[in-house]
Amino acid sequence: MGFMDPGNVVWFEIRTAVGQAVKDFYGALLGWDFAVDPDSSVGAVTYTRIMAPGMPFPMGAIYDNADSPEEALNVSIASADVGADQERLEKLGRPVPGSYAWFEVGTTDAEATADFYRQAFGWRCTLDESAGGKPYHNVFTGNQWPSGGWTTWVRTSSTT
């Protein structure tokens, strides 16, 4: 079974107010390594990527918010047929929201990206003023809360 095969956990996020305790526990138990993501750590939130031994990319993250007592585990599972999976879950008595859980887009042109998604899908895009001065937009796909977002990358060139 491959990493992105349907049914596999492809990302998880541990929400806690005691991030160091989570790192101490899982680091010792499973040998995980941790790296703070400075672009996603804003205000009281420290966002830490979780790396399994020998893996080239993160498999999850710790969302450490010392100001919030919320403890939660968010799990993302790959699906080959979202509609069929939703129907199966509902038959098991589990309601499923009718929207994406979250997605990210990287762009060098925020205005063109917003125009494209607005015209293609009717999505609403707003600058997130709480992103610590970073150019980040929230995307609303029909819900009252954002379903995704994007970071605007600045093109740089080097001269030699």
Side-chain angles (χ1 to χ4, degrees):
M1 186 174 243
F3 169 69
M4 293 299 290
D5 287 347
N8 279 352
V9 173
V10 295
W11 185 259
F12 66 93
E13 190 174 89
I14 300 168
R15 289 182 170 260
T16 185
V18 289
Q20 188 59 51
V22 171
K23 290 188 284 188
D24 291 346
F25 178 77
Y26 286 108
L29 181 67
L30 301 173
W32 291 352
D33 290 317
F34 308 94
V36 171
D37 181 348
D39 292 329
S40 300
S41 298
V42 178
V45 173
T46 302
Y47 198 78
T48 304
R49 294 182 294 252
I50 301 171
M51 303 287 292
M55 293 302 293
F57 47 84
M59 61 180 185
I62 300 168
Y63 182 95
D64 184 3
N65 185 351
D67 292 344
S68 174
E70 177 183 307
E71 299 286 331
L73 176 65
N74 299 319
V75 180
S76 299
I77 301 170
S79 172
D81 186 337
V82 174
D85 289 342
Q86 179 175 350
E87 185 177 320
R88 186 173 54 256
L89 291 168
E90 288 172 347
K91 284 181 181 176
L92 293 171
R94 299 293 178 220
V96 178
S99 67
Y100 286 112
W102 194 263
F103 65 91
E104 293 282 334
V105 175
T107 182
T108 57
D109 189 336
E111 187 174 326
T113 301
D115 288 344
F116 171 80
Y117 286 110
R118 191 176 303 111
Q119 292 173 23
F121 305 109
W123 293 354
R124 181 171 55 92
C125 310
T126 62
L127 181 64
D128 184 346
E129 299 291 341
S130 69
K134 299 172 183 74
Y136 190 84
H137 289 77
N138 287 319
V139 178
F140 297 82
T141 60
N143 296 321
Q144 65 186 17
W145 55 87
S147 298
W150 73 71
T151 301
T152 305
W153 300 99
V154 177
R155 289 186 182 168
T156 60
S157 61
S158 61
T159 56
T160 55

